[in-house]
């Protein structure tokens, strides 16, 4: 049986309390949210925090709301809650597409948005979703809050700009007129992505006025595809150009072969899924227009 190394356990009663506990125990402490990533890593001794700060009582971080024209998703919102959120689905159907495909109901009932982003797993779905919609991350430390574009949140695999003494508090996405979609290939239902891509589009007549593309599991730098976005912006929203954008996105990925498939297959999927996500977003735009 795998058991974690010994650790101190504290239950935070507020964000300020959690931050003060992080300060008290120092860099060897970690907050625990859903625990679906951290606890298995502790059991395998890949993580050995000396103190765990439980933030599950912080109901102020568990809300989805619209404030000042932005959709605000608290760090402690569970996957299942984002999946069920009518307001999130209405403005950003990409969230519903992705959440429907993340893990299984057991993981979705417990795993949190903040935990997913802070884990920064290279195959994580929401990193690509939030990169596609150009979300902002609100990070809090004892000196106050700072706001970082999600596209700048990730430093590398399993590493973010959230400091040892800070917490991710909220994700914000300005609400605007757009359509979005997410496409994923997995080996079986509930599995991590072999590859996945998301797109958000705003059209001006036949042309692409704005576009965001997020990609995961294929080594896309910081989970997005700026070269493909640049190619598409201002030009006609045609199938041919979407396919070319998919190829551009795939060229800038760096997939590694593993049990989910060879690198060439994953690169092929990156192109195909980017193209499909763009097409689906366009179809939604045309339906709503
Ligand atoms: C069987 C299984 C299948 C899965 N399939 C998928 C999948 O298909 N797609 C996918 O994207 N994910 C998948 N996951 C991952 C799952 O979504 C994440 O494990 C989970 O949501 C992470 O969130 P958590 O709340 O459990 O984080 P935790 O395990 O509690 O924390 C993860 C890390 O984030 C840190 N952290 C947590 N919250 C904060 C915060 N607010 N501020 C700062 N740091 C924080 C913790 O200290 C820890 O380092 C799967 C997981 C499992 C177990």
């Amino acid at each position: 049986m795998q058991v974690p190394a010994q650790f101190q356990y504290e239950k935070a009663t507020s964000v300020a309390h959690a931050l003060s506990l992080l300060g008290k125990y120092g860099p060897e402490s970690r907050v625990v949210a859903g625990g679906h990533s951290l606890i298995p890593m502790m059991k395998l001794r890949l993580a050995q925090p000396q103190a765990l700060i439980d933030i599950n009582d912080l109901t102020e971080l568990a809300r989805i709301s619209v404030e000042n024209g932005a959709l605000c998703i608290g760090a402690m919102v569970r996957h299942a809650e984002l999946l069920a959120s009518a307001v999130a689905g209405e403005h950003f159907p990409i969230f519903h597409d992705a959440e429907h495909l993340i893990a299984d109901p057991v993981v979705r009932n417990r795993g949190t948005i903040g935990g997913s982003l802070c884990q920064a797993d290279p195959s994580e779905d929401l990193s690509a979703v939030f990169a596609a919609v150009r979300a902002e991350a609100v990070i809090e430390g004892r000196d106050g809050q700072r706001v970082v574009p999600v596209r700048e949140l990730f430093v590398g695999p399993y590493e973010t700009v959230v400091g040892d003494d800070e917490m991710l508090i909220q994700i914000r996405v300005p609400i605007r007129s757009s359509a979005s979609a997410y496409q994923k290939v997995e080996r079986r239902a509930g599995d991590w992505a072999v590859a996945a891509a998301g797109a958000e589009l705003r059209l001006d007549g036949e042309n692409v006025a704005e576009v965001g593309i997020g990609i995961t599991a294929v080594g896309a730098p910081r989970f997005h595809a700026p070269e493909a976005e640049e190619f598409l912006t201002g030009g006609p929203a045609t199938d041919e150009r979407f396919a070319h954008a998919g190829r551009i996105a795939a060229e800038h990925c760096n997939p590694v072969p593993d049990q989910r498939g060879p690198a060439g297959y994953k690169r092929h999927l990156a192109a195909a899924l980017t193209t499909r996500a763009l097409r689906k977003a366009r179809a939604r735009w045309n339906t709503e227009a």
Side-chain angles (χ1 to χ4, degrees):
M1 190 173 64
Q2 292 161 333
V3 287
Q6 224 178 7
F7 58 89
Q8 300 285 319
Y9 173 84
E10 299 262 13
K11 207 164 176 66
T13 53
S14 65
V15 171
H17 186 216
L19 292 171
S20 103
L21 289 168
L22 284 172
K24 174 180 164 189
Y25 287 103
E28 298 308 316
S29 61
R30 293 277 190 90
V31 298
V32 61
H36 271 305
S37 295
L38 184 54
I39 303 299
M41 287 178 72
M42 289 171 64
K43 286 180 164 181
L44 293 168
R45 308 274 172 125
L46 294 171
Q48 297 197 26
Q50 285 166 18
L52 275 194
I53 321 290
D54 186 338
I55 56 173
N56 280 276
D57 280 357
L58 306 191
T59 48
E60 68 265 43
L61 300 186
R63 282 192 287 264
I64 299 176
S65 58
V66 175
E67 289 164 35
N68 301 322
L71 181 72
C72 301
I73 305 167
M76 285 304 292
V77 168
R78 316 277 169 180
H79 290 296
E81 291 164 341
L82 185 55
L83 176 61
S85 166
V87 67
E90 178 197 341
H91 295 292
F92 299 101
I94 189 172
F95 295 156
H96 186 273
D97 289 353
E99 283 294 4
H100 194 62
L101 296 166
I102 291 177
D104 51 46
V106 174
V107 174
R108 291 201 293 262
N109 281 340
R110 189 84 193 148
T112 64
I113 308 312
S116 294
L117 290 176
C118 291
Q119 181 68 15
D121 188 296
S123 300
E124 208 271 317
D125 288 288
L126 290 182
S127 311
V129 168
F130 287 129
V133 299
R134 292 186 168 83
E136 296 173 335
V138 183
I139 297 168
E140 187 164 326
R142 276 180 293 168
D143 295 335
Q145 292 189 349
R146 61 193 175 108
V147 179
V148 174
V150 162
R151 291 180 170 205
E152 293 169 21
L153 185 69
F154 307 104
V155 177
Y158 306 104
E159 208 182 343
T160 71
V161 298
V162 182
D164 292 333
D165 54 354
E166 292 181 315
M167 284 171 60
L168 177 64
I169 299 299
Q170 190 183 68
I171 297 298
R172 283 187 201 149
V173 200
I175 293 174
R176 62 266 177 165
S177 175
S178 72
S180 56
Y182 193 70
Q183 297 279 307
K184 174 174 175 177
V185 166
E186 50 194 356
R187 291 177 303 174
R188 56 181 177 274
D191 196 9
W192 292 84
V194 179
E200 187 196 19
L201 269 182
R202 182 169 67 80
L203 299 187
D204 180 7
E206 300 297 309
N207 286 344
V208 175
E210 275 182 285
V211 58
I213 298 173
I215 310 186
T216 192
V218 287
R222 295 185 167 195
F223 296 98
H224 67 285
E227 299 82 4
E229 292 167 353
E230 198 179 326
F231 166 74
L232 285 173
T233 305
T238 59
D239 281 356
E240 293 71 27
R241 287 176 62 82
F242 285 174
H244 190 62
R247 287 192 292 275
I248 294 175
E251 272 166 27
H252 289 85
C253 291
N254 188 21
V256 288
D258 60 13
Q259 76 277 19
R260 291 193 172 81
Y265 172 56
K266 293 183 180 185
R267 199 183 291 280
H268 166 79
L269 286 181
L273 295 174
T274 299
T275 309
R276 279 189 212 167
L278 286 163
R279 284 185 183 182
K280 189 161 182 186
R282 182 187 57 193
R284 283 179 171 158
W285 174 273
N286 288 334
T287 308
E288 285 159 22

